[in-house]
Structures are given as structure tokens and as C-alpha cells.
Amino acid sequence: MKKPSFTLLTSGLTFLMQADWYGYVLKVNDLKIEKLEMEGNYYDFTVTVSFQKTGSDQQNTAKVTGQININDEGKIQVFSMFGDGGLLEKMTEGR
């Protein structure tokens, strides 16, 4: 099976899929969520993620930022990524 190009993946699952394809373990170190002062349920988020290639001693970190909108039922309606701190690029180097 051909591995998908990370440039074609746009959902919040992108990091999980790429980590699996390239043999990385991801761990959330810190998560900050802040409600925005605007109409609706909009929140900014910042996640610090550590990632390590299986079998390697080297551990790296990246800061992922974005925004979510939660509907009246409390479910995520919109998920927008602003930046990944180089996470996808670092996981796919030398592929």
C-alpha cells in the first residue's frame, strides 16, 4: 500500500496517521485552551507534543496551534490548524 502524502491530509488525525506510517510515538506534554471573546464557542489551543522514533533515544518536541469551534451540543464543529512547529516535516525527513 502506498503511503499518503502529508500535504493531502487536512484533518486533526494527520499527526496520528503520519506518526504511525513513519514509526513515531507521540505524547502530549502540555495542552492550553483559551476561550475567545467573540460570539460563539471559539477556542484557541496550543499543544506541546513530544515525538520519538521507535527504537531511538532521541526525543523532540513541537508546538501545535489552532482553533476549534464547539456547537451547542458540545461537539467540535470546526477544527483549524494554524501551525505544527515543524512536527510533520521532522517526522517525514528522510522518507
Side-chain angles (χ1 to χ4, degrees), residues 63-74:
K63 193 173 285 191
V64 178
T65 60
Q67 188 176 87
I68 58 172
N69 174 253
I70 298 177
N71 66 19
D72 293 336
E73 297 172 358

Side-chain angles (χ1 to χ4, degrees), residues 24-64:
Y24 280 86
V25 175
L26 301 177
K27 179 183 174 189
V28 173
N29 294 337
D30 188 43
L31 171 62
K32 293 181 182 172
I33 300 173
E34 181 179 326
K35 185 164 179 17
L36 299 177
E37 293 184 23
M38 61 190 320
E39 190 173 323
N41 293 318
Y42 289 90
Y43 298 82
D44 278 343
F45 68 85
T46 302
V47 181
T48 303
V49 177
S50 64
F51 57 104
Q52 184 173 355
K53 184 120 175 142
T54 304
S56 171
D57 292 332
Q58 183 179 359
Q59 188 175 59
N60 298 293
T61 60
K63 193 173 285 191
V64 178

Side-chain angles (χ1 to χ4, degrees), residues 3 6 18-19 21-24 51 53 58 60 85-95:
K3 295 180 183 179
F6 70 87
Q18 291 299 316
W21 279 104
Y22 294 102
Y24 280 86
F51 57 104
K53 184 120 175 142
Q58 183 179 359
N60 298 293
L87 178 59
L88 288 178
E89 182 179 340
K90 291 174 187 173
M91 283 195 296
T92 58
E93 284 177 348
R95 54 183 170 162

